[in-house]
Amino acid sequence: MDEGKWLVVCDVDGTLYMPEAGNPGLAEFAEFIDARRDRIVFALNSGRSLDEMAEVAEGGPLPRPDWLVCSVGTEIFADFDPSRPDPEWAEFVMREWPRDELREALASLDFLEEQEAWLQHHAKLSYYVDSGMDSLRDELDRVTAPWAGRFKTTLCLDRYLDFLPPWGGKGGPVEFLARRLGIPRNRIVTAGDSGNDRDMLDRGFHSILVANHAAEIGDLASLPTVLRAESPAAAGVLEGLRRLGVD
Ligand SMILES: [Mg+2]
C-alpha cells in the first residue's frame, strides 16, 4: 500500500469544467494539483468518449490527468493517450455484456430514443428519455428481464439513460485504480455533480458534491463521507480538498 499518496478522481462537466460560468476556480485547481504531483494521483472520470475529452482539454486549463476514465467507466487510459487503454480493465468490464440483444429489445420502447452514433460505444448504449423514469421503469424491466444482472443503468439529469456492463459506471474504475496503485480507501477522494457520479460518490470514499450539483444526487449530502462544497465547480472541488486536509 502506498499510504503517502492520494487518489483524486473528478468528473469533468459541471464538476471541473463549466465554461458557461467562466470555469470558476479551474486555474487555481490546476495549480493546486500541479504543485502536488508527487503526492496526488489525479484522474478524470467522465461520461465523455476519449475524442470528446480531447476537445475539453483544448478548451480549458484542465490539469493533465495521470489516468483518464472515459465513457462512464468503460475505458481507462493512462493520460490522454488513446494508444494506452488498460487491457486488463477492457477485458474485465466487457465480460458477458449483452449489448446487441439489449439494443434490439429496447428498440420496441417508444419512450426511448437512441442517442447519436458518435455518443455510442462498444461498452455502453445511450438513450434520451422523454419523461420521468419512475413511470417507465416497469416497462423497461419487463423488456430487459432476460438479461437481468448482466447490465446496469444510469440516469442523468432525467434525460440521459445509459445501459452499461455490470462493472461499468464510475465507481468500479475507481476501485480498480486504487487497487492497481495500492492506495487505501481512506486516501481516495471523488468529486461530482450529477446522476452518473452517484456510483463513485456513495461508496464510502471521501466525496465532494460541488455546490451546483443536480437535485437528483442531493440526498448524498446526508452521507457521513460526503461533503457538500459551498462553491461551484472546480472552486468547490478545491474547497473540498482543503477541508479534507488533502495537501
Ligand atoms: Mg458532470
Side-chain angles (χ1 to χ4, degrees), residues 11-15 156 170 192-194 196-197:
D11 167 53
V12 175
D13 292 270
T15 300
C156 213
K170 291 193 172 188
D193 77 306
S194 74
N196 68 7
D197 300 315

Side-chain angles (χ1 to χ4, degrees), residues 128-234:
Y128 299 112
V129 208
D130 56 15
S131 56
M133 272 298 290
D134 285 350
S135 57
L136 311 173
R137 184 58 74 177
D138 287 350
E139 183 66 2
L140 196 61
D141 287 349
R142 187 184 62 74
V143 165
T144 59
W147 305 281
R150 291 173 59 194
F151 70 93
K152 64 194 252 185
T153 58
T154 68
L155 177 67
C156 213
L157 304 175
D158 262 335
R159 173 75 176 139
Y160 307 97
L161 179 66
D162 285 339
F163 291 78
L164 305 163
W167 266 85
K170 291 193 172 188
V174 180
E175 310 262 7
F176 175 84
L177 281 183
R179 249 195 335 263
R180 166 74 63 88
L181 300 165
I183 296 177
R185 294 179 73 84
N186 64 358
R187 304 283 289 185
I188 300 172
V189 183
T190 62
D193 77 306
S194 74
N196 68 7
D197 300 315
R198 175 179 292 275
D199 187 46
M200 67 171 173
L201 299 174
D202 70 356
R203 290 181 180 242
F205 310 134
H206 300 293
S207 296
I208 300 165
L209 276 185
V210 290
N212 54 295
H213 69 80
E216 65 200 1
I217 56 170
D219 60 296
L220 292 175
S222 64
L223 296 177
T225 51
V226 174
L227 177 162
R228 186 180 180 281
E230 288 173 15
S231 313

Side-chain angles (χ1 to χ4, degrees), residues 26 94 113 124 128 144 237:
L26 185 55
M94 294 291 288
E113 180 194 346
K124 79 180 171 98
Y128 299 112
T144 59
V237 181

